[in-house]
Amino acid sequence: MADVTLIAERIIRRFARDTNLLVAGRSVRIIAAQPETAELTAISRELTRMLSALGAHVVTASRHDAITTASTHLLDIQLDAAGPDSEITAMLLLGGASLPSRGDADGRIDFAGEHMPVSRLVAKGLGERGSVQGLRIGIAMVLEPKTAQLALLLAAAGAEVAVYAHPDEIDASVAEALRARGIAVDGSETLSGLAERAAALAFLERGFDILLDDGSHLIRLAHEDAPHLVKQWIGANEETTSGLTPLRQMSALGILDTAVFAVNDAQMKTRFDNRYGTGQSCVFAIADALDRVGVTVRDQPALVIGYGPVGEGVAAHLAALGAEVRVAEVDPVLALRAAHDGYDIGEAAELGAGALVVSSTGVAHTISADLARTARAVAVAGGVPGELDLDGMLMGDPAEQLTPLGAHVDRADPAGTLVLDRGGCINITAAEGNPIEIMDLSFAVQLAAVEELVVTRPAVGVHALPTSIDDTVARAALAARGEHIDTPADAQLAAAHDWRSRRYLSSSPNQETR
């Protein structure tokens, strides 16, 4: 019998790769051709197991009846053994139709927009209220179709928008398509060194009211080289954990000169983008790269370094694909959580020998040179420069010590370690970034945070977003999926608002007169 686990994994990864859509939370129906062979039954069962472990809802016929066939939230996987020599084939249908060809950059941008209903709804409100009318807004993020949609939504709401992306994080075709739609795009994949810095400064010199940043690179550059511009800002939004850390340090030192909303810390960002989005996109990109050189994720143990929201997602997705997951974490609380989630915990040097090692910290030199030499494969899901100490590992010219094996896979000689994407953030540089529906949630928070900046004009410093934004975005997301949630009974509401502790404050006369 064929390797049913690998077949199931490849089917799921194909769906994600062809659409850049999310598996977790998606309704999936598995249909096997009749008569159903033992092999089709085994693959169907493995698909059900794997999809469930990844957070999908494998629906029965009765449950399917309640789902609109035309809904793009429903994925049908039709299995057949009609290929050559009874080879197993799988047809994937989204909303009852074959997976669409996203085509060129314009097609990918439009496809992303079709699957970002929450961001559309929030942006529509900005436009109706005139919240961003005439404001100059800069977006400094990875430039791909989803970011292009964020720019287009802000422009449609009345803002004057410009985009900048680092050379390693810019899709040239998307940049060109965005320019053709009237959005200014600075930066190029061809730039490096001083030319790259000059392009970033030119972007800042456009003079913004609000800056949306990812990694706080542009916020910090403005403080260093263009502080006069910072003082003109209403404020900025920061998208990532690694970006907020230096901003909080700057605030503590009294050198931060702008208000910053910590978009990353909103529940509708961190609990979804990091856990489900980065988890899926990084692990599937790793699995795609390894599969191209004849290695599967479950061929080896996997060590995840860091068990924050990103590490939690990476570990869960690796485990769903069949890896034996271990976790190394310096924070005792997070390490204990990993242990309670069923993973072996310990020191990276011990757990990483012979393993697929994935850094999920966003901290430089997380995968040390010594650890990398003993690992079977190394990859980065955090994404700061030097998170994998590749220079220390090689101790020489990479051209002489890295042997290309396949797309985004090199072998580091003489250790033989497989180096994925040369230590780049694997889901960005080797794939399309986080799934569209996940970025829909994150960008909906970004859009709501823009309005919060405009309305509240917060003081200089790093600020948490009001929880009402999480509630608004979550309710919009549930409505877009046609989901309904429970409502508390009157007795529950009354109990929740009763400040007295019934255990210690009795209504008896003796208690009341003490």
Side-chain angles (χ1 to χ4, degrees), residues 76-348:
D76 276 328
I77 301 177
Q78 298 183 351
L79 299 173
D80 201 350
D85 300 320
S86 297
E87 178 186 353
I88 300 297
T89 62
M91 179 179 291
L92 306 182
L93 305 176
L94 194 60
S98 299
L99 295 186
S101 172
R102 291 182 287 161
D104 59 9
D106 280 307
R108 290 188 292 134
I109 291 171
D110 292 339
F111 182 85
E114 292 168 8
H115 294 271
M116 295 175 67
V118 186
S119 292
R120 287 200 311 269
L121 181 63
V122 176
K124 180 182 178 183
L126 295 184
E128 292 172 346
R129 292 185 291 274
S131 303
V132 297
Q133 186 66 43
L135 290 181
R136 296 164 299 173
I137 299 179
I139 301 175
M141 296 182 179
V142 176
L143 180 51
E144 37 74 53
K146 302 176 287 288
T147 309
Q149 275 295 331
L150 174 63
L152 291 168
L153 289 171
L154 281 167
E160 181 182 330
V161 182
V163 178
Y164 172 81
H166 186 275
D168 292 340
E169 299 175 346
I170 185 169
D171 183 319
S173 61
V174 170
E176 196 57 38
L178 205 51
R179 292 186 186 105
R181 299 191 190 196
I183 303 294
V185 179
D186 295 310
S188 167
E189 75 283 2
T190 64
L191 300 178
S192 62
L194 293 177
E196 172 199 334
R197 189 179 184 90
L201 286 169
F203 166 76
L204 291 169
E205 289 288 352
R206 290 181 179 275
F208 299 114
D209 298 299
I210 293 172
L211 181 64
L212 313 185
D213 207 351
D214 181 339
S216 71
H217 303 296
L218 273 293
I219 297 174
R220 286 179 281 158
L221 178 62
H223 277 76
E224 294 170 8
D225 285 13
H228 63 288
L229 296 176
V230 178
K231 297 183 185 302
Q232 299 173 15
W233 296 350
I234 295 172
N237 291 342
E238 173 49 45
E239 176 85 0
T240 65
T241 304
S242 58
L244 284 172
T245 298
L247 293 180
R248 289 191 167 111
Q249 292 171 346
M250 290 168 65
S251 182
L253 293 171
I255 58 176
L256 183 66
D257 283 335
T258 188
V260 178
F261 270 133
V263 168
N264 174 79
D265 293 352
Q267 290 192 72
M268 289 304 298
K269 195 279 181 186
T270 295
R271 287 178 180 256
F272 293 86
D273 185 304
N274 297 11
R275 166 63 172 80
Y276 300 102
T278 307
Q280 174 179 306
S281 59
C282 287
V283 170
F284 283 15
I286 289 168
D288 283 344
L290 289 175
D291 199 1
R292 285 191 288 267
V293 296
V295 177
T296 69
V297 165
R298 74 179 192 282
D299 278 345
Q300 65 264 296
L303 169 65
V304 177
I305 306 181
Y307 203 67
V310 170
E312 182 182 349
V314 169
H317 283 77
L318 284 169
L321 298 190
E324 176 199 324
V325 179
R326 309 158 175 181
V327 173
E329 173 57 72
V330 298
D331 183 303
V333 175
L334 294 180
L336 196 60
R337 282 189 57 191
H340 281 71
D341 285 340
Y343 305 121
D344 288 337
I345 61 172
E347 296 184 7

Side-chain angles (χ1 to χ4, degrees), residues 14-91:
R14 172 158 65 94
F15 163 72
R17 187 171 56 248
D18 288 353
T19 63
N20 196 215
L21 294 177
L22 185 67
V23 173
R26 183 170 300 282
S27 296
V28 183
R29 185 173 62 158
I30 302 168
I31 306 166
Q34 298 298 323
E36 187 171 343
T37 65
E39 191 169 37
L40 285 177
T41 299
I43 294 171
S44 179
R45 287 174 177 168
E46 183 60 13
L47 273 169
T48 299
R49 182 204 68 78
M50 195 173 290
L51 286 163
S52 298
L54 290 166
H57 302 283
V58 181
V59 298
T60 61
S62 59
R63 171 62 176 150
H64 171 258
D65 292 340
I67 301 173
T68 304
T69 302
S71 168
T72 57
H73 194 68
L74 174 65
L75 170 66
D76 276 328
I77 301 177
Q78 298 183 351
L79 299 173
D80 201 350
D85 300 320
S86 297
E87 178 186 353
I88 300 297
T89 62
M91 179 179 291

